[in-house]
Amino acid sequence: AQSVTQLDSQVPVFEEAPVELRCNYSSSVSVYLFWYVQYPNQGLQLLLKYLSGSTLVESINGFEAEFNKSQTSFHLRKPSVHISDTAEYFCAVSDWNSGYSTLTFGKGTMLLVSP
Amino acid sequence: DSGVTQTPKHLITATGQRVTLRCSPRSGDLSVYWYQQSLDQGLQFLIQYYNGEERAKGNILERFSAQQFPDLHSELNLSSLELGDSALYFCASSGTLGGGDIQYFGAGTRLSVL
């Protein structure tokens, strides 16, 4: 069975500071990895995904994540955060099993950006 | 806007009652997923349908059931409701069964059981 651990439930940071949100996963098979973001009172939106190829993936709004197979990690980073990045971030893992896929989420990390 | 529509947005009901949550997937998407989000359990996968057939089951209680209709919309039925069923219920859709498929989420239905 697969599982996802997000080590920090909350990360407070000042605007324009760098941030890293940590994610570790466990799975017995090849995985696909995702970061989703949830703004207040909204559904989840895909931020970025890793399927294969380059281990560094980037989103259009400055976030990036690096897949590290040996450490089974997929940490999310941004070099300079904005107030508007305040949201909850979910790491998720999916595998292919018997012809269907399921998405397993971590418990989420609340990113709090203050001026 | 993800293209996934969930109704109603809010639902307040009493213990022991039954409710139905509705989801319309993105145009062309064949897969529908249901998730429950609560403070203590986080986001839990409940069930997946693909083109009208059940394909995967997660932590779904026996009191809960779902179906996907020929027009691909889906309904999640929750019966004999308990206080602990109060949560945000999300529907998501994707184009195929692929593990690498992006799932697009609706805005959710907030269920309050009093």
Side-chain angles (χ1 to χ4, degrees):
Chain A
Q2 54 198 16
S3 66
V4 177
T5 302
Q6 291 185 245
L7 296 166
D8 306 299
S9 59
Q10 213 173 70
V11 172
V13 65
F14 288 109
E15 195 174 19
E16 297 183 8
V19 71
E20 177 180 81
L21 307 183
R22 296 177 292 171
C23 171
N24 288 89
Y25 69 92
S26 67
S27 176
S28 59
V29 297
S30 296
V31 296
Y32 306 109
L33 294 157
F34 304 81
W35 276 98
Y36 279 84
V37 59
Q38 184 179 26
Y39 297 101
N41 301 313
Q42 293 186 29
L44 280 76
Q45 303 171 32
L46 180 74
L47 194 57
L48 45 77
K49 64 178 181 179
Y50 170 79
L51 303 183
S52 64
S54 172
T55 57
L56 186 65
V57 289
E58 298 177 354
S59 72
I60 56 173
N61 55 358
F63 283 94
E64 64 179 30
E66 185 160 19
F67 170 59
N68 188 319
K69 190 173 181 179
S70 62
Q71 297 188 7
T72 58
S73 68
F74 191 54
H75 301 330
L76 182 70
R77 300 184 184 98
K78 189 170 185 180
S80 176
V81 295
H82 301 289
I83 296 281
S84 59
D85 292 325
T86 294
E88 187 141 30
Y89 293 78
F90 293 91
C91 181
V93 62
S94 173
D95 63 21
W96 182 260
N97 181 24
S98 303
Y100 62 87
S101 66
T102 58
L103 203 56
T104 301
F105 285 91
K107 290 207 177 283
T109 297
M110 186 69 206
L111 176 62
L112 297 165
V113 183
S114 53
Chain B
D1 183 3
S2 67
V4 178
T5 305
Q6 288 188 249
T7 56
K9 286 192 185 339
H10 302 279
L11 205 45
I12 302 174
T13 188
T15 55
Q17 295 299 303
R18 173 190 166 95
V19 297
T20 297
L21 282 53
R22 183 188 167 100
C23 169
S24 293
R26 288 191 327 152
S27 177
D29 281 357
L30 299 177
S31 266
V32 170
Y33 310 78
W34 286 99
Y35 293 88
Q36 179 193 60
Q37 185 180 35
S38 61
L39 283 174
D40 54 343
Q41 296 291 327
L43 260 169
Q44 299 272 312
F45 166 71
L46 296 179
I47 197 164
Q48 178 198 8
Y49 277 81
Y50 178 79
N51 204 19
E53 292 187 10
E54 180 187 306
R55 294 307 299 259
K57 250 183 177 177
N59 300 320
I60 188 165
L61 300 171
E62 285 191 9
R63 300 183 285 108
F64 295 1
S65 65
Q67 53 185 324
Q68 186 179 28
F69 295 86
D71 66 353
L72 300 177
H73 91 272
S74 177
E75 292 181 356
L76 180 66
N77 300 297
L78 315 176
S79 60
S80 303
L81 285 167
E82 302 174 0
L83 296 177
D85 297 327
S86 295
L88 199 48
Y89 291 84
F90 285 110
C91 166
S93 74
S94 71
T96 70
L97 283 171
D101 245 15
I102 297 170
Q103 292 185 23
Y104 293 88
F105 283 75
T109 294
R110 184 171 295 281
L111 174 66
S112 298
V113 182
L114 305 178

